Amino acid sequence: MTQQEIARRLEEVRSRMQRAMEAAGRKPGQVLLCAASKTQSPETVALAAGLDIDLFGENRVQELVDKFDKGAYGGKRADMIGHLQTNKVRQTVGRAGMIQSVDSEKLLRCIQAEAARQQLVQPVLLEINIGGEASKTGAAADLLWPMLEAAEDCPNLLVQGLMTVPPKADTEAENRAMFARMYRLFCQAGERGYARSRMEVLSMGMSSDFEAAILEGATLVRVGSSIFGPRNYTV
């Protein structure tokens, strides 16, 4: 894919984001665009890095490591947005600008240990399985509170908000209702006043539904195929 083609797709995504922000009465800059670059080559990502993208997101640790070490992100932030196994934490901490997919106390403590070893503070989001789907990762909503309590004992972590991938909905109304439920949980978490948690980032919405997510309070959307085209899963 050429940079020109990516730019054309990106312009349409930005236009859709702008319309949704205007409809929600939100100001420019209040929603970040994360380009989900799963299966994209370092060369393609490097082309995209020169365009109007706020940050990148990777689902696979090996792709994050490869593209980060090759400088493909052009100095822009790259987040881990896919499921993270504890045995991949060492490779991820220090490379990922933020780990968006923290879904257990065990993973929290593992990231804390590695961040302490590297003498840095690792920003994270807590991933919530808002629809309770057995096929998806993320903690159950009622486990958010124990995770936030556990984070209070992790001085090398900074919880900056929440992330979710909601169930596929049949209608926009159903989709928005799920995003609204997630936003309420986000607000409740912020009201509890945890010392090591700042509810500043709500990461939700992808290519098929990011407008609905923006309307319901997302501050970061993760868009892949609408920017890069259909993914090649043979990579």
Side-chain angles (χ1 to χ4, degrees), residues 205-226:
M206 298 184 288
S207 288
S208 62
D209 58 11
F210 66 79
E211 288 110 327
I214 290 170
L215 289 169
E216 297 300 337
T219 69
L220 184 154
V221 294
R222 309 179 305 272
V223 181
S225 58
S226 289

Side-chain angles (χ1 to χ4, degrees), residues 98-112:
M98 181 183 287
I99 300 172
Q100 295 195 23
S101 48
V102 179
D103 59 1
S104 69
E105 292 182 45
K106 180 181 178 181
L107 182 56
L108 264 179
R109 298 189 190 283
C110 189
I111 295 170
Q112 159 60 31

Side-chain angles (χ1 to χ4, degrees), residues 1-201:
M1 182 175 287
T2 66
Q3 189 178 50
Q4 185 177 15
E5 186 174 359
I6 298 171
R8 179 183 58 78
R9 288 175 168 272
L10 182 58
E11 183 178 7
E12 175 58 25
V13 169
R14 283 292 188 185
S15 294
R16 290 168 61 191
M17 287 179 65
Q18 182 61 31
R19 289 193 293 270
M21 285 190 285
E22 289 174 357
R26 303 176 68 181
K27 298 177 182 177
Q30 288 187 327
V31 183
L32 295 179
L33 174 58
C34 172
S37 44
K38 177 181 178 180
T39 77
Q40 303 303 320
S41 69
E43 293 76 19
T44 297
V45 171
L47 291 176
L51 301 173
D52 186 20
I53 287 168
D54 296 308
L55 67 148
F56 291 89
E58 296 292 350
N59 288 73
R60 299 169 177 167
V61 173
Q62 58 268 37
E63 287 195 57
L64 174 69
V65 171
D66 182 47
K67 295 168 193 174
F68 182 92
D69 291 354
K70 289 178 177 176
Y73 302 115
K76 290 187 175 179
R77 190 177 108 199
D79 289 3
M80 181 63 192
I81 61 175
H83 180 62
L84 179 60
Q85 297 175 315
T86 55
N87 64 353
K88 298 290 181 67
V89 165
R90 178 165 289 195
Q91 296 170 278
T92 308
V93 170
R95 286 187 173 93
M98 181 183 287
I99 300 172
Q100 295 195 23
S101 48
V102 179
D103 59 1
S104 69
E105 292 182 45
K106 180 181 178 181
L107 182 56
L108 264 179
R109 298 189 190 283
C110 189
I111 295 170
Q112 159 60 31
E114 179 58 25
R117 190 188 72 82
Q118 295 189 31
Q119 298 183 327
L120 55 81
V121 174
Q122 177 66 61
V124 302
L125 301 182
L126 303 181
E127 182 183 0
I128 302 301
N129 185 345
I130 197 65
E133 295 176 284
S135 61
K136 284 185 179 174
T137 58
D142 60 356
L143 295 180
L144 172 59
W145 316 118
M147 287 198 295
L148 286 169
E149 291 289 348
E152 293 293 275
D153 296 324
C154 297
N156 293 85
L157 295 186
L158 178 60
V159 178
Q160 292 195 298
L162 307 180
M163 185 266 260
T164 197
V165 181
K168 185 176 181 180
D170 293 328
T171 67
E172 182 181 356
E174 290 176 355
N175 206 29
R176 286 189 61 174
M178 196 62 68
F179 286 135
R181 182 181 170 195
M182 188 68 195
Y183 181 72
R184 288 193 296 272
L185 193 66
F186 175 73
C187 292
Q188 290 167 7
E191 290 166 359
R192 294 204 177 191
Y194 290 99
R196 298 194 185 281
S197 299
R198 303 173 185 170
M199 291 297 124
E200 299 171 338
V201 180

